[in-house]
Amino acid sequence: MTIPTEPIGSIPRPQDLLAALVRAPSDGPPPDHLYDEAIRDTIARLEGTGSPVITDGEQRKYHNFWTYCVEGLSNTAPDGFRIPFAAGHVRRMPRLTAGPFRYLHHADEYLDVALRYARRPVKQAVISPSALSLMYPPTEIPGYPREQFLDDLLREHETEVRNCLRKGAHCVQIDFTEGRLALKIDPTGRLLRSFIDLNNLALDRFSPDDRRRIGVHTCPGGDRDSTHSADVDYANLLPALFELNVENFYVALAGEPNRERVLKIIRDQLQPHHRVFVGVVAPIDPRVETPEEVRDRALEATRYIPADQLGTTDDCGFSPFCDDTSTTRDTAFAKIRNRVLGTALAAAALGGRA
Amino acid sequence: MTEKDEERLLREVALQNAAAIQAVRQRAEQELAAERERLRITLASIGDAVISTDVEGRVTFLNGVAETLTGWPHAEAVGRPLPEVFRIVNEHTRRPAGNPALRALREGVVVGLGNHTVLVARDGTERPIDDSAAPIRDQAGGTVGAVLVFRDVTDRFRAHETQARLAAIVNSSDDAIVSKTLDGTVTSWNAGAERLFGYTPAEVVGRSITLIIPPERLDEEQTILAKLRRGERIEHFETVRVTKDGRRLDISLTISPIHNPEGRVIGASKIARDITQRVRAERELRESEERLRAALEELRESDRKKDDFIAILAHELRNPLAPVRNGLQKMQLAARSPELDRTHAMMTRQLGHMVRMLDDLLDVSRVGRRKMELCRETLLLADVVASAVETARPAIEAGGHELHVTLPDGPVYLDADLTRLAQVFANLLSNSAKYTDRGGTIWLTASREGGDVVVSVRDTGVGIPPESLPRIFDMFSQVDRSSGRATGGLGIGLALVKGLTEMHGGTVTAASAGPGRGSEFIVRIPALPDTASDAQRAAAAEVPALRQRRILVVDDNRDSGESMAELLQLLGNEVAVAYDGLEAVERAAEFRPEVVLMDVGMPRLNGLDATARIRAEPWGRSMTVIALTGFGQATDRVHSKAAGCDGHLVKPVSLADLQKLLAELDSAKGL
């Protein structure tokens, strides 16, 4: 018996890089060697946790998992929507000011670097089209209709995912944290429905084989040990989530107050070709889960999810925003190590190994 | 902006996005539907039959061609297992053939056609098909179904069968069948060619056809290729080719251009047949024919020489008879003792007999050489028969036979030569008299039969053996010579009868019940209609009384000339004689005769030249010059007339003929 286990993505940046990022507004972007060193070290330490699949810790994603691809675009303004977090802080999105919409950075650029250092399979996280769709302002941009923007957005997203797959990503994870947020903004579910539709328009462009290497991650947000939509009931989100045309789902679970309820919902929505990676460690929780806790959470999940459709993961990235210093790198790696160990214990308990 | 305002605005944007996403999605779905429709139309429009299945092998789609070929409408076929809709069997074994689509599903590979596959349609109709199948893969490469493409290859199948039959014919043909390119390179070589020329296909294909062409005939190939390039066909071209072992064969070539589908000549097929045996046989036949022709020509030449000889013989024998006749006629006028009368009668009879034999001989020769001409006139059959009876009477009376003559009631008119037709009946009567024992009976019976008159000469004579009947009319044919019957004659009488009868447009047949039972000869000749004009019914003119004239007789045969002169003198004429052409001209100048009887063939100056000279003189222009010769054909008459002669008589000349001619000339000149 094997239970796969994967990280979600981000790892807190090293101190040198963080310092350079703080100075960036005055001194300019951090030098490449700092990024490279951060990536190399992150990969080495992730591999040191025994994780069978690693990431580059999203060391180079600036400024965060959401806006990395559009940071620096000349046709954007910084006064986009604010995303309020439970801790009281907000994150502000860029606003598109003119067409056409193009990515400035594609995530496969980061994959290129990671693959140079990695000895284990590397997964790559990308932002969902639905998240970026919020960049288009309330009033229509003259000469650039909303539909044209969505066409451009889908094309850019497809290009990014395809490049990652082509370059050898173990899998591509689409970050869909706005799913739960959508329900918070629009409790009628209409907005979530449109997000699902938009993302499926993108996913439909891929073959089933491609889609076996594509997953969707959902969580209530995780920034500075705080969430933006943990108060939204999973019961309203998960049925729509499982309509996404992918095979892998990365679902934050460790931080949920009633995991069994969520697992039951997952069980009800699960299709035979699905694999669900449940969160067994919570990045926003400063405490490092023990391997036994992880094992138990995994075994708990197997009561609702067939073991051969189960995987484990982190509830969220450890540092989705580059300037988040709420969690240390050591804590993150410790949590990851115990996730790996705990998952292995669960597999052993089930008669196999992770 | 408050947090609440911000959230409201965000919701608004999100919902606007939702509307736009819905529009994009609808457009995408429309495009997908349009793409599917285009695909459906493409598949429906495609000339081949197409069936697709799901991964379980159940039909999901079939286009119109597939509907037609399988007999299954789309609506009924969808969802059914493929083998139910697409039922195929092996053409020869009749066992179900492996379904290519199911194999494509099973093995995930493209499956080509199986040979000899027959599609059995829903109604049992069978068609040979060409099929192939491929798995349908999704974008991940997984098999999600299969697509089967097939087509009705009945036409190709038949064409293949035809081609196979043709190939079998070519291979089994005894003729050499070869194909070549337009530069003469051999491209195929059948077993017949191998047998004929000795080369195997491996030895010839790819080489030039000149391999089998003799060096001296190499130009032929260029001529042949030039014609082929123009698209012309060459039929039965007979030539010579060389075998592998150097033998030369006479062959007949038929060469046809080979066109490609665009109609361009790209090569030629040639059929070569060995005609060595035929050529040899033809050569031998040709040589045989030439020999035969030469022999025939030799025979004809010999026959011509014979006829010429007979003609000359008869002519030369007649010349001496002329003075004899003159002498007898003179004696008749002079001598009057009983003894002399008997002798005279005997000599006259024998002379007549000899003259008739010579006449017959000469006539039959003329008939044979087609030189006989008839002097046709309107005659009464009765006159012809009377003349014949008169001629034959001596022989009939000599045999003591009884002659019965029966003629039709009323006159029967003929367009005939009196002399020649009377000769026919006289010969038959004489023949009966000759071949009938003494005291026999001879019947001459004439009757009308339609437009013909039929004259039968029947006797109680010795008859004719059946085996002799077919040759009875051949020249020199005589019946019963071996019996020693002393009938005499030359055996030409019946041949002459036949020739003269046919010249009159009639026929003659012979019949006999056999030896000792008599014979019958039946002559059938056309008669004139009864409505013939009076002019046509004119009988022979009366011989007018001979008036006295000054006559110059010219003949190099002194006896002939002098006897004629004496005869004319006895009739009261004033007569002079000359013995050649020069003398004739001189005597004519002195004697100034009214009539010149001019022999033609004479020494020093012939009669025609002498006539011309006389005519050239003023005193000679009004003279009557009568050519007197042994040659009496039309050409002779033309020659004599051209020389200036007024008339033409054939020796020996009877006094009556001479009197008649002179009377006619007098009449013509108004005398």
Side-chain angles (χ1 to χ4, degrees), chain A residues 133 138 146 151 197 207 209, chain B residues 11 16-17 25 27 139-140:
Chain A
S133 70
R146 197 178 298 271
D151 281 343
D197 287 345
S207 69
D209 197 38
Chain B
R11 189 182 303 116
Q16 285 179 4
N17 282 354
R25 180 177 178 150
R27 197 178 67 223
Q139 288 172 310

Side-chain angles (χ1 to χ4, degrees), chain B residues 404-408 443-447 454-458:
Chain B
H404 298 276
V405 176
T406 306
L407 295 177
W443 293 269
L444 187 153
T445 307
S447 60
V454 177
V455 179
S456 161
V457 177
R458 184 163 60 89

